[in-house]
Each structure stands twice: as structure tokens, then as C-alpha cells.
Amino acid sequence: MDRMKNLILFELKKILNNKKAFLFLLVLNMVPIVSSLILLLTYITCRGLGLGDIQFMGMKKAIQFMFTGHFTLFSYIAPFFLALIVGDSFSTEFGRGYMKMLLITPVKRWQVIAAKSVSIITFLLIAVVIGGLILQTDLLIARGITQPMGVLPAQLQTKAMDTSLSMVTATSALQLFVISFIANIMMIGFFIVFSMYFESAILMAFCSLSAILGIHVFYLSSDILKALLSGFLTKGSSLELLINSFESISKYFCFTRYYTDLFYINTIQELLNGKISIFADKVTGPLGFCFVWTIIFYVVANLIFARKQVLH
């Protein structure tokens, strides 16, 4: 257990020393940082226009919307970051001989995959939490500049629909954490499988992201193709069988669709507002498929790594 813990900390330290990781942090948290400036400008504008005593309510809604945007942006750029970091953690280390040095130590190969995966997903989740904390600070600033004492006067309580200082509920935050963990650990597993065949992080990232793009284009084209040819389909025809085959492949093998479904902006917004939970059909379906694909990718990655000639 101590060996595994030390291995995870070692891998996490390598990520933190990686310039790509800090670039990712900067890009991801651009929304919270910019929103802080917009917050101050909004308050100054509202105060100049004399829009009333409950400006905090409107500012809170704006900050919550920015958090949705921050989380959605996270889902868009995370695969690019993961491809590069996984490439550095595996492909680059294969090419430079670092993996050979690591395997000479008393660690098992599955432990290497597990430790690197845990360290990558830990950094990823820390990155999105930092953005959330920045926005939560914005919310505190908003309350401070609209109501210096931090509490609305009693006569305004009936007018304000939402006066709490909580940007998201603990339940919503936990559900988003679960979704992020499962969806991105699946992507990490996919990139690890690809990294076994390359010794260059850039080449590995390019090829794996191209594969993801191709898979997603196939998924989108299958739906478009079915819509375009729906008027020409007859029951039992070859064309119908072909379209059904495309649809089945798209449904069960295009794993990118489930990642996209989980981070669909309306889904995130409904989770934040408490309108749905992770037990809703629109979430449990994609989440279940992501979990299955995660198992598949890690089993394949371990099988390939176990047979890969590294020490020779």
C-alpha cells in the first residue's frame, strides 16, 4: 500500500512539473478569471443605472451560469490535455527509457498503469475544483459589494428568490464529481491503450485524437444518414439493414457519444438546479456505458502492457 501511495505521489509530482499541466490550468480557468473582471464591471454598471437593492440575486445567477460554462469548457479541452499528459506518462517514457528504469524497481505493471491514471485524474479534478473555488470567491465578493454585512435586510428577504452564498449544493457537486471521474477515467484508459504503440507524445496525441474525431464523426453521420434516408426505407430492405447496422455500431461502439451526452450543457444545468440527478435516464445510460468502456480499455491496456517488451 505504501509503495502504491509513493508511486502515485511520484507520478503526480511529475505532472505538476509539466508545463502542459500549467497551460491547461490557465486555459481551463480563463472563464473564472475573466468572470471576476466581468463581475466588477457588472456591479459598477448596475450601481450606475440604479437597478435596485437586490442586485446580488442577478449576479449570483450570472456566476452560476459561468460555472456551467466552466464545467462545459472543462469537458471540451480535457481530452486534449489527457492525450498529451498520457503521452508524456507512457509514450515519452518508453522512448527515453524512463519506463525501463521504473520497471526495474519492485513495482508491478498494473500498478504503474493504476498509479499514473490516479495521478492524472487527480490533477484533472483539482483543476476544475480550482475554477469552482474562484467562482465561489466571486460569489462572496458579489455579496460583499452589494450587501457589506453579507446579509440582506429583512424587508428585502421576501423580494429575493435566492440569497444563499452556496453556488452549488453539496449533492450537485458530488454528482458532477462522479460524472467527471467516470467519463474522464474512460478517456484516460483509451489514451493509455494508444500510448502503448508510440514513443512520441505528440504523435500519440495526434493519432489518438484523430481516432476520437473519426469515431465521433461516424456517430454523427449515422444519425444524419438515418434522417436523410428515412423516407426511402422499406421494411426488410437491404438499405434498412445497412442503416440499422450503422445505428447499432454507433450506439454500442462509439464511446465518445456517451462522453458528450454526460457533459451536454442542458444536462449540467439541470443537475446544478436539482431538476435531475445522476439516476435520471439521460444520465445513468451514458454513465453506465462509460463505466463498461472504462473496464474494457483498462483490461486491454494491462494485457498489452504485460506483453510489451520494455526491459529488453
Side-chain angles (χ1 to χ4, degrees), residues 24-35 62-78 124-136 138 167-168 176 180 263 265 268-269 272:
F24 172 74
L25 273 177
L26 180 63
V27 173
L28 176 62
N29 291 306
M30 192 59 67
V31 170
I33 292 170
V34 171
S35 69
I63 292 172
Q64 288 175 325
F65 178 77
M66 289 174 183
F67 179 78
T68 304
H70 166 65
F71 201 81
T72 305
L73 176 65
F74 162 76
S75 70
Y76 287 143
I77 68 173
L124 196 68
L125 295 175
I126 289 174
V128 75
V129 168
I130 289 174
L133 291 176
I134 293 174
L135 288 171
Q136 183 64 54
D138 291 346
M167 186 174 62
V168 297
L176 291 176
S180 298
F263 291 106
I265 192 166
I268 299 302
Q269 193 68 55
L272 288 174

Side-chain angles (χ1 to χ4, degrees), residues 12-67:
L12 186 58
K13 186 180 295 185
K14 285 198 296 187
I15 294 175
L16 293 174
N17 290 329
N18 194 324
K19 293 180 180 179
K20 296 185 185 74
F22 285 97
L23 179 62
F24 172 74
L25 273 177
L26 180 63
V27 173
L28 176 62
N29 291 306
M30 192 59 67
V31 170
I33 292 170
V34 171
S35 69
S36 301
L37 299 175
I38 294 175
L39 172 69
L40 295 175
L41 292 175
T42 301
Y43 171 69
I44 293 171
T45 303
C46 290
R47 187 174 184 181
L49 295 174
L51 295 180
D53 296 316
I54 55 171
Q55 297 165 24
F56 172 73
M57 185 180 65
M59 296 178 80
K60 178 174 181 178
K61 289 185 178 297
I63 292 172
Q64 288 175 325
F65 178 77
M66 289 174 183
F67 179 78

Side-chain angles (χ1 to χ4, degrees), residues 119 154 184 275:
S119 62
N184 285 290
K275 294 181 180 179

